[in-house]
Amino acid sequence: MNCLEFRRHKLVDPRRLSGEANKHAASCHTCHAFAQEIDDADLRFLQNSLTGVPSGLEERILLRRRFTPLRQAQRWAMAASVLLSGGLALTYWSGLFQANYAELAIQHVSHEPESFVNTRNDDTDFFRKALNDFGGQLQGSLGKVRYMKLCPGHGSAGWHVVLETPHGLATLLLIPGQRLQSPSTANEMGLYASAYSAGRGYYALVAGAPAAMAAVQAMMQKQVTWKT
């Protein structure tokens, strides 16, 4: 197992590693430090979740304000985050000026490993409403919704969604207010991503294998129609 394969396994399922992965971590200082960082982040998330605030409450408050101007939406998102009692740091979209938005999506996913092991707003109707507000209409299932979090940041507030599909776990990011001149793709840290303009901005898909990436994108094309 090489370092890229190890990181992919650690990000997909941080709490369960194969014997081969554990052996690699024991012999590679860099990957051992990476694994420790992921474990520490997971522990902090679990500790902060004990505050008693209902999971996803701040996102549901924000979603009630449909089509809120982006600057106002950012203020609402920041205010709603106070409900977390300061326990969780907001995840910020940075570097939106970069050309490769698929690469940016992979970087974002790699910094939120808890999204693969926790449930949050795991409600299909909630996902349908969020997608509709973004400009998409769900015509059929994309898989089981496991995790939804609103990530406010520079000029946009994007939905981070984890779907359990027939092709494995996949991440869908819905980023309003930013249009792409052309689709982009990326492959790093053992993850594969693609980004496309749609709805009120663009969406990005992240998966653990090229075949899974292509299959989930085909599902998006079949099951989601976009408002023009």
Side-chain angles (χ1 to χ4, degrees):
M1 175 174 290
N2 60 36
C3 293
L4 287 178
E5 290 172 334
F6 174 83
R7 293 188 178 213
R8 173 187 168 190
H9 283 281
K10 187 64 178 176
L11 287 171
V12 169
D13 197 345
R15 299 180 186 177
R16 292 186 297 180
L17 290 178
S18 66
E20 184 182 4
N22 284 319
K23 183 178 179 180
H24 176 85
S27 62
C28 176
H29 176 75
T30 300
C31 286
H32 178 79
F34 175 81
Q36 187 62 54
E37 181 181 352
I38 297 301
D39 290 341
D40 289 346
D42 189 37
L43 179 61
R44 288 195 301 271
F45 183 86
L46 291 175
Q47 291 173 337
N48 290 324
S49 69
L50 298 178
T51 58
V53 176
S55 174
L57 179 59
E58 68 278 12
E59 284 94 346
R60 293 173 184 270
I61 291 173
L62 181 59
L63 190 57
R64 293 194 188 107
R65 294 157 176 81
R66 300 178 63 182
F67 301 101
T68 302
L70 288 177
R71 289 186 180 178
Q72 186 176 350
Q74 284 183 277
R75 291 196 294 271
W76 276 112
M78 294 176 71
S81 70
V82 175
L83 292 170
L84 297 178
S85 302
L88 296 178
L90 295 176
T91 302
Y92 287 99
W93 293 101
S94 61
L96 288 178
F97 56 87
Q98 298 180 24
N100 195 330
Y101 294 89
E103 182 177 325
L104 182 64
I106 291 177
Q107 294 170 3
H108 178 78
V109 169
S110 71
H111 283 89
E112 293 203 18
E114 68 273 10
S115 66
F116 293 109
V117 295
N118 293 290
T119 58
R120 181 186 180 95
N121 290 321
D122 51 339
D123 183 339
T124 299
D125 289 337
F126 183 61
F127 171 64
R128 187 187 303 273
K129 180 176 176 62
L131 183 63
N132 185 70
D133 283 354
F134 182 75
Q137 294 182 330
L138 191 62
Q139 305 298 328
S141 176
L142 293 175
K144 176 180 173 56
V145 178
R146 289 171 47 118
Y147 181 96
M148 285 185 65
K149 179 183 177 184
L150 191 63
C151 298
H154 301 280
S156 62
W159 288 104
H160 180 152
V161 184
V162 176
L163 301 166
E164 185 176 334
T165 79
H167 314 284
L169 294 182
T171 298
L172 168 65
L173 305 177
L174 303 173
I175 313 300
Q178 183 76 28
R179 304 291 293 183
L180 308 187
Q181 294 183 348
S182 61
S184 62
T185 60
N187 170 19
E188 63 178 48
M189 292 186 289
L191 296 173
Y192 298 80
S194 57
Y196 307 86
S197 285
R200 297 172 58 205
Y202 78 92
Y203 72 87
L205 293 167
V206 183
M213 179 79 266
V216 175
Q217 170 59 11
M219 289 173 59
M220 284 288 294
Q221 292 176 336
K222 180 180 179 181
Q223 305 291 15
V224 180
T225 57
W226 299 103
K227 301 172 186 177
T228 57

